[in-house]
Amino acid sequence: MNPVDRLPNTEDAPIFVTGMPRSGTTFIQHLLSQHPRIQIHGQEPADCAWADWLNLLLDGVGFAASSNEQLGYDSQHYAAPNDGHEVAERFLPFMKWYLTGGQHSPRWGAKSLTQCRIASEAIQHVWPAARWIVCIRDPFRCLESLRNTFDREQEVESEEAIEWWTSAVRFAHEDSGAMPVLFDRLRTPAQRRQQTAEIFAFIDESVTPEVSDFVEEWPTVHKVVSEDERSYRISQDDREQMLGLDTEFRSWVERLGYLDQEATLV
């Protein structure tokens, strides 16, 4: 039996903000956190993939239980509990405590880029009411911005960026607990107010005056490199090459209306 099949339901459901880097995740984190009842905490430190930990623990339960049963030794050959239910019950409170920095609020969550999607099935068995707000932006602008900020050495290959963006978009549109937010479509105050109302309705909260003020101000959040330091620009040839690497990527780019847009340095 899958070790997550018997996990309990709980009302303590998190809100995850996810998406490819440079797609608006930090802004949405701050937008949600303006609400007096909500605190969305930052992403996990580098090389601290809590979603991977949870998956490994649950995989270990299933492997150890079946292997020990086949071997039939008096003393267990593989070390792990036999109950995935209890493993998750013990691990997830620690995860919440770790992600929130030990702080508490009525509604909580974390910005986790795409990491939390790795364990979405297990998370949703434990927190069936979990909500995932997936930020989506023109993939060429995302990569351009990434290479002008956190990836100035261009260590992120085009293939990796394509997989990252495509998996986030697919998850946003196919998972019932996820909501896509097309961040670069929020150009006018009316669009911003409408999208904000939809986000808060999705998480079953009302827009408060604090949230409305934040939306009206629309502050710049997490601008880590000034405009005059940004020099990398994706060429039309680069775009065409990326579009030819993955048919699913090209399909989503076309479906979301990014196919004919020229890349703009941001």
Side-chain angles (χ1 to χ4, degrees):
M1 181 175 62
N2 187 320
V4 302
D5 284 345
R6 296 174 50 249
L7 298 184
N9 294 343
T10 176
E11 297 302 319
D12 189 20
I15 304 164
F16 292 115
V17 178
T18 188
M20 184 178 173
R22 311 307 294 169
S23 63
T25 54
T26 302
F27 183 89
I28 296 300
Q29 171 199 354
H30 284 258
L31 171 67
L32 290 168
S33 295
Q34 301 306 307
H35 196 289
R37 282 176 36 84
I38 302 173
Q39 182 62 45
I40 307 298
H41 300 269
Q43 63 202 51
E44 63 270 23
D47 300 322
C48 183
W50 57 265
D52 289 340
W53 299 346
L54 177 58
N55 274 340
L56 286 170
L57 289 172
L58 294 175
D59 288 345
V61 168
F63 173 82
S66 61
S67 298
N68 287 330
E69 183 179 359
Q70 290 176 12
L71 292 170
Y73 294 162
D74 293 336
S75 181
Q76 289 192 355
H77 192 66
Y78 293 102
N82 291 326
D83 192 347
H85 173 183
E86 185 175 359
V87 169
E89 278 194 328
R90 290 176 179 273
F91 176 78
L92 289 166
F94 162 76
M95 189 186 83
K96 176 184 177 181
W97 172 83
Y98 189 89
L99 290 176
T100 60
Q103 303 177 34
H104 301 282
S105 58
R107 299 291 303 274
W108 73 282
K111 184 188 79 165
S112 192
L113 299 181
T114 59
Q115 194 61 257
C116 58
R117 292 184 300 99
I118 295 172
S120 62
E121 180 181 356
I123 291 291
Q124 288 170 332
H125 272 83
V126 179
W127 289 310
R131 290 293 177 261
W132 314 73
I133 298 174
V134 186
C135 295
I136 300 170
R137 185 185 181 198
D138 182 322
F140 308 108
R141 294 184 179 185
C142 279
L143 182 57
E144 202 170 59
S145 182
L146 184 61
R147 288 180 172 173
N148 278 296
T149 53
F150 297 111
D151 186 36
R152 297 173 76 86
E153 301 300 320
Q154 299 185 33
E155 296 178 356
V156 176
E157 300 288 343
S158 297
E159 292 85 353
E160 181 181 357
I162 288 170
E163 192 281 329
W164 210 337
W165 186 87
T166 304
S167 62
V169 172
R170 183 194 314 119
F171 178 79
H173 286 85
E174 296 181 357
D175 192 282
S176 60
M179 175 184 181
V181 174
L182 275 65
F183 196 75
D184 45 2
R185 306 294 168 81
L186 305 181
R187 296 188 178 93
T188 69
Q191 289 173 325
R192 296 164 184 170
R193 287 191 291 268
Q194 177 64 30
Q195 181 68 85
T196 299
E198 292 173 0
I199 290 172
F200 279 86
F202 178 68
I203 62 172
D204 299 320
E205 296 284 353
S206 299
V207 174
T208 64
E210 297 89 342
V211 172
S212 295
D213 290 345
F214 189 81
V215 173
E216 294 303 319
E217 295 172 4
W218 203 254
T220 299
V221 178
H222 206 42
K223 191 176 184 67
V224 296
V225 176
S226 62
E227 294 292 345
D228 58 4
E229 294 182 71
R230 303 182 181 208
S231 58
Y232 178 81
R233 185 183 294 273
I234 292 180
S235 68
Q236 189 62 33
D237 287 343
D238 292 333
R239 287 165 54 90
E240 292 300 326
Q241 182 180 19
M242 289 176 67
L243 289 167
L245 290 173
D246 188 292
T247 55
E248 184 186 7
F249 170 69
R250 185 183 183 96
S251 176
W252 281 113
V253 169
E254 183 173 8
R255 175 176 169 181
L256 296 179
Y258 296 129
L259 187 61
D260 299 323
Q261 295 184 18
E262 293 184 2
T264 302
L265 184 64
V266 286

